[in-house]
Amino acid sequence: MATTALTPAATTYRTGLYEWLTTTDHKKIGILYLVNSFIFFGLGGLLALGVRAELAVPGLQFVDEQLYNQLFTMHASFMLFLFVIPILAGFANYVVPLQIGAPDMAFPRINALSFWMLPLAGIIMATGFLTGGGAAAAGWTSYSPLSQDAYSGTGMDLWIVAVVLIGTSSILGAINFLVTIFKMRAPGMTMFRLPILVWTALVTSVLVVLATPVLASALIMLFIDRNYGGHFFDPASGGNAVLWQNVFWFYSHPAVYIMILIGMGIVSEILPVFSRKPLFGYKAFVFATAGIGALGFSVWAHHMFTTGAVYLPFFSFMTFLIAIPTGVKMFNWIATLYRGQLTLSTPLLFALGFLSMFLLGGINGAFSAVVPVDFAIHDTYWVVAHIHYVLFGGSVFAVFAGVYYWFPKMTGRMLNETLGKIQFVVMFIGLNLTFFPQHQLGLSGMPRRIADYSSTAGWNDANLWSTIGSLLIAVSILPFFWNVFISLRGGSIAGDDPWEGNTLEWATSSPPPPYNFDRLPDIHSERPLFDARHRREAVPALTVGPDASGHAEISAALGRPHDSPDSGSLAKGMDRSHGQ
Amino acid sequence: MTTSERAMTVSRGTGADHGAAAGHGTGISNPILGMLLFITSEVMFFAGLFAAYFNVRAAAPAWPPADLADKLHILPLVGPATVLLVLSSFTCQIGVWAIRRNDRRGLVRAIGVTFVLGVTFLAMQAIDYALLYEDGLRLDSGPFGTTYYTLTGFHGAHVLGGVLMLGVVLYRGMAGQFSSRHHDMVEATSMYWHFVDVVWILLFSLLYLLPGTGGGH
């Protein structure tokens, strides 16, 4: 089973819960990120069910308008700030140090700090429901004057504090990733041998470092306006309401790439493994990722076409331009699959779901880039459909692809394939049933963020279908949780490398030891494990490279033998693990 | 003497651990790269505030507003405070140069002076605030007051952060924990302090030197 022949882990003086609460191990912190994010995914999902229940038929059945506003605001806030962004950071936290052959992140304690701000922020944000005025209700965009103290209560202040905390956590995390990726790569791991996931984490981190502080400044200005009589966003006394939109979207447009790039990285790790081919066009992919990051800063005002305060031709042009690097990626993914030897395991299914749904989300997004069309569909359900095809069909499918792909590495056990496929099929149908009719709703003029609509508006059928779809999505989560539960207890043993992966995380045990690697294979390409598995001539591992002695020192310090067998035996070991 | 010897041993010990963990320690060190990236994010934070300032200022009919136009000129302490802060950047750098030569006394002396200058700047800013407040320029007195206090206030908060970091450097310097080979924190703190200084020079130019618009002047 264990082909890397580990001696038992170093004895730890912290056990159980205390260890998890105080850990600075990037793998445990990564898992904490995932668990915390899934909790808020569940809560945000329940809020969404509340929204859909209210909209199923015309009339106000369950909630009043005020509570409805809180529901969709907190749904979006949980999903964006406490689920999508952190869970992708969580994957990166777990995988990036392993994939670059590092023992941990560059700043392990700051890493723990970044994580622990998140549950704190989540609790602060959710506390809004307990205050007199209720939780934040101005939409996740918190446009002024809706978010000013005249129209919203303490929940809004708690929301601001929480988002500032989450932003701080993101910035510290991003700095940590950048230093880790720039400084902690194993010998031989040059920048153009980095796995694509690491590249996407790098570009995401650059976006976070440059964009998130601007959101923090916007939130602080809003806080001053609300609590200390400031005049940043109040036109009546010389402020500017559109200023909020500019500063907010200057962050929040790059943020949509923060919410998808690592997802693209996950898919780019999975497609080559399950089609038994290298990724098509590695460098094109890297430059496309960097291009999305750079162009991401020049398109924020396409959220503000109808304000009349932005230069439409420029932002429309840039928005079309940013579709090009995304198209390059789509081409590369499809070319990777083309004539590959596909293994239709659950990770690949979710990755294929990502490809198809993200494509739809890209296409319906391109409509909104056309200024006259956007004037017609702005703030309608078309936009809701678009964001959910991109974020649910895109990011969430990528998240589940990643969970099914790396769960064996994280726990040492496989997830159940049958339950996984059931989850995929139900979720795929539910997603399309929920969000496809919303295109039609948007085109026929249904505005977003309304609690009620006229029964004669012609929106009844689509809304009912949409609500049924949302229930299907909720149902599809149940086999997933059941799957995790039973697999943790009795899933089949994964071994080091159940998928015949390409990247370094599969070169160590499952789960990896706290220090990650006893020894590393030679790194001559972006697929070091593929090289090790299929090497024709036996090249002794770890006898070349400036760092060979360093690893020997670590092994010696940890009291285990460090004389590395040649890579031929490593490859044989790999084969043996697959023979089981 | 024994204290500093022990401190040296400790620092060498952690340094060795660090080297093994980091693998190949070439080029810029992890903490300094981290600080540079952190400063980058701080630049973007202030960029957001400055953007808001220009936006509000451009929309105002007169800047500063007629009733507040003379208020900013009465500050007796802003000029000296600016000189002190710029000076402190130099003393901070002298400290860095000292520890690069392994001159611990020089480090402690220079950082001590920097620390005092930083605290003095904060005290002068507090007095300025009190004077302005008495004169009726408040956080809620129109966009002028809001932007003035927000920008200078957040700068002041960063000065305070820098002073705290300088305090830690001073304490550790006095305990003999830095040497010419092991002083990342001194370098990082000095970078942060220079950044705080540069922001103030921009702010000072913006708030006190840039001519007003409209009827204010």
Side-chain angles (χ1 to χ4, degrees):
Chain A
M1 173 192 87
T3 53
T4 36
L6 290 176
T7 48
T11 47
T12 169
Y13 52 91
R14 299 174 298 189
T15 49
L17 183 65
Y18 187 66
E19 164 66 15
W20 280 95
L21 291 177
T22 56
T23 183
T24 57
D25 178 352
H26 75 97
K27 297 176 290 299
K28 286 192 166 145
I29 292 173
I31 291 170
L32 285 172
Y33 264 100
L34 299 191
V35 171
N36 183 61
S37 303
F38 269 112
I39 291 172
F40 283 101
F41 181 58
L43 293 176
L46 290 177
L47 295 170
L49 285 181
V51 168
R52 281 319 315 172
E54 183 53 55
L55 289 175
V57 290
L60 287 174
Q61 290 85 28
F62 304 107
V63 295
D64 60 2
E65 286 90 344
Q66 186 53 38
L67 185 56
Y68 180 84
N69 291 347
Q70 296 174 30
L71 289 183
F72 72 70
T73 300
M74 295 301 280
H75 160 69
S77 303
F78 278 176
M79 289 305 197
L80 300 177
F81 294 125
L82 288 158
F83 168 64
V84 174
I85 294 177
I87 202 168
L88 293 176
F91 274 115
N93 226 305
Y94 193 96
V95 177
V96 163
L98 284 167
Q99 284 196 334
I100 63 174
D104 203 320
M105 298 280 279
F107 308 114
R109 283 184 290 182
I110 291 181
N111 199 23
L113 176 69
S114 299
F115 167 72
W116 284 106
M117 283 185 192
L118 292 171
L120 176 67
I123 291 168
I124 290 175
M125 194 188 275
T127 315
F129 281 113
L130 306 176
T131 62
W140 80 276
T141 51
S142 290
Y143 275 11
S144 183
L146 210 53
S147 53
Q148 293 289 358
D149 53 349
Y151 306 102
S152 48
T154 317
M156 191 70 224
D157 290 318
L158 292 168
W159 185 91
I160 293 172
V161 172
V163 178
V164 170
L165 267 177
I166 294 165
T168 312
S169 145
S170 283
I171 293 168
L172 293 178
I175 292 171
N176 218 338
F177 279 127
L178 288 173
V179 177
T180 306
I181 295 169
F182 285 131
K183 297 288 299 174
M184 310 267 290
R185 302 191 307 279
M189 182 61 83
T190 60
M191 290 305 275
F192 280 110
R193 291 175 191 163
L194 288 179
I196 291 294
L197 180 95
V198 180
W199 268 108
T200 57
L202 191 158
V203 173
T204 302
S205 301
V206 171
L207 291 179
V208 169
V209 166
L210 294 179
T212 311
V214 180
L215 176 71
S217 72
L219 291 165
I220 281 165
M221 287 188 265
L222 183 61
F223 196 82
I224 289 171
D225 264 19
R226 288 176 50 82
N227 293 290
Y228 307 115
H231 299 278
F232 282 109
F233 307 122
D234 175 19
S237 57
N240 184 353
V242 178
L243 170 63
W244 166 264
Q245 298 188 26
N246 270 308
V247 192
F248 177 82
W249 287 114
F250 185 83
Y251 158 77
S252 292
H253 197 79
V256 307
Y257 304 112
I258 294 170
M259 295 174 208
I260 193 73
L261 282 178
I262 293 178
M264 291 172 162
I266 293 172
V267 169
S268 309
E269 293 302 314
I270 288 172
L271 290 182
V273 171
F274 289 89
S275 51
R276 322 303 304 149
K277 281 176 67 190
L279 183 74
F280 184 90
Y282 171 90
K283 280 201 177 171
F285 208 99
V286 170
F287 289 124
T289 306
I292 289 177
L295 291 172
F297 281 103
S298 59
V299 295
W300 80 89
H302 69 210
H303 298 269
M304 302 162 56
F305 282 164
T306 57
T307 57
V310 297
Y311 185 56
L312 299 177
F314 173 78
F315 286 107
S316 177
F317 176 75
M318 296 309 285
T319 306
F320 280 115
L321 203 58
I322 205 167
I324 293 175
T326 315
V328 168
K329 290 188 171 192
M330 195 56 85
F331 181 84
N332 284 355
W333 285 325
I334 294 170
T336 304
L337 289 168
Y338 179 64
R339 302 185 75 174
Q341 220 174 7
L342 299 192
T343 320
L344 281 177
S345 304
T346 315
L348 183 65
L349 284 182
F350 275 104
L352 294 176
F354 171 96
L355 289 195
S356 52
M357 293 299 99
F358 186 74
L359 178 65
L360 279 184
I363 291 172
N364 63 21
F367 281 88
S368 323
V370 188
V371 174
V373 177
D374 185 71
F375 272 59
I377 59 179
H378 184 79
D379 262 349
T380 67
Y381 259 84
W382 179 280
V383 180
V384 180
H386 164 62
I387 194 68
H388 284 95
Y389 266 96
V390 176
L391 277 181
F392 198 109
S395 305
V396 177
F397 273 26
V399 161
F400 280 112
V403 169
Y404 280 92
Y405 184 57
W406 280 299
F407 188 88
K409 180 51 64 183
M410 293 176 184
T411 64
R413 290 178 185 275
M414 307 293 289
L415 281 168
N416 184 305
E417 278 288 308
T418 313
L419 284 170
K421 282 168 182 159
I422 292 173
Q423 182 205 349
F424 172 74
V425 170
V426 179
M427 189 174 261
F428 190 83
I429 296 171
L431 161 74
N432 283 292
L433 195 56
T434 310
F435 299 114
F436 203 80
Q438 293 182 359
H439 291 110
Q440 188 55 40
L441 286 173
L443 289 176
S444 58
M446 179 168 169
R448 64 201 284 215
R449 297 178 173 172
I450 54 167
D452 190 14
Y453 50 91
S454 161
S455 60
T456 57
W459 300 336
N460 298 3
D461 290 348
N463 268 309
L464 188 59
W465 282 116
S466 188
T467 301
I468 294 170
S470 70
L471 286 172
L472 266 187
I473 294 177
V475 168
S476 74
I477 300 296
L478 300 178
F480 171 69
F481 283 137
W482 177 243
N483 199 348
V484 170
F485 180 72
I486 59 164
S487 300
L488 278 176
R489 301 170 136 248
S492 55
I493 301 295
D496 288 1
D497 185 12
W499 311 115
E500 295 199 11
N502 294 324
T503 40
L504 287 180
E505 75 269 33
W506 307 107
T508 185
S509 63
S510 305
Y515 45 86
N516 287 352
F517 296 99
D518 274 339
R519 54 197 168 80
L520 286 163
D522 287 349
I523 301 162
H524 296 299
S525 74
E526 82 274 17
R527 299 194 298 162
L529 251 69
F530 179 90
D531 297 345
R533 200 182 300 125
H534 298 284
R535 181 158 299 148
R536 300 279 186 270
E537 76 280 27
V539 180
L542 270 184
T543 51
V544 290
D547 194 48
S549 57
H551 282 281
E553 269 169 32
I554 297 175
S555 301
L558 292 162
R560 60 178 58 80
H562 60 268
D563 52 328
S564 41
D566 63 33
S567 54
S569 80
L570 179 65
K572 265 181 256 146
M574 299 286 165
D575 292 343
R576 222 183 304 128
S577 79
H578 293 295
Q580 290 181 345
Chain B
M1 211 45 204
T2 48
T3 319
S4 66
E5 272 169 18
R6 192 167 64 231
M8 272 179 69
T9 322
V10 168
S11 70
R12 206 180 296 128
T14 53
D17 288 347
H18 192 76
H24 47 309
T26 51
I28 189 170
S29 81
N30 290 4
I32 291 176
L33 180 58
M35 177 53 83
L36 281 177
L37 291 165
F38 181 67
I39 289 174
T40 309
S41 79
E42 291 277 40
V43 166
M44 291 308 290
F45 176 82
F46 277 102
L49 293 182
F50 275 74
Y53 172 81
F54 282 118
N55 188 293
V56 172
R57 177 187 169 114
W63 195 270
D67 56 323
L68 296 168
D70 56 332
K71 299 291 189 264
L72 278 184
H73 298 293
I74 60 154
L75 300 178
L77 295 176
V78 170
T82 305
V83 172
L84 289 187
L85 197 63
V86 173
L87 194 64
S88 76
S89 232
F90 285 97
T91 58
C92 189
Q93 194 57 38
I94 288 169
V96 173
W97 287 332
I99 196 62
R100 279 183 196 164
R101 294 190 313 265
N102 212 17
D103 174 5
R104 291 188 197 152
R105 256 170 187 286
L107 169 79
V108 169
R109 211 182 297 129
I111 295 296
V113 172
T114 313
F115 181 82
V116 171
L117 289 173
V119 172
T120 315
F121 176 88
L122 284 174
M124 289 168 129
Q125 195 180 26
I127 297 170
D128 270 350
Y129 272 16
L131 290 174
L132 281 172
Y133 196 80
E134 274 174 29
D135 262 20
L137 180 63
R138 302 188 180 180
L139 189 60
D140 57 355
S141 55
F144 186 80
T146 307
T147 50
Y148 178 83
Y149 282 110
T150 305
L151 285 167
T152 56
F154 270 95
H155 176 264
H158 283 76
V159 175
L160 181 62
V163 163
L164 293 176
M165 285 159 69
L166 286 169
V168 176
V169 170
L170 191 59
Y171 177 82
R172 291 187 58 186
M174 279 160 44
Q177 295 183 12
F178 297 120
S179 65
S180 58
R181 294 187 60 184
H182 186 78
H183 61 274
D184 279 345
M185 185 178 179
V186 183
E187 301 269 358
T189 304
S190 124
M191 284 173 180
Y192 186 79
W193 194 250
H194 294 325
F195 156 74
V196 168
D197 194 19
V198 169
V199 171
W200 178 253
I201 292 171
L202 289 177
L203 263 182
F204 180 77
S205 315
L206 208 62
L207 297 172
Y208 296 97
L209 302 182
L210 193 67
T213 56
H217 272 251

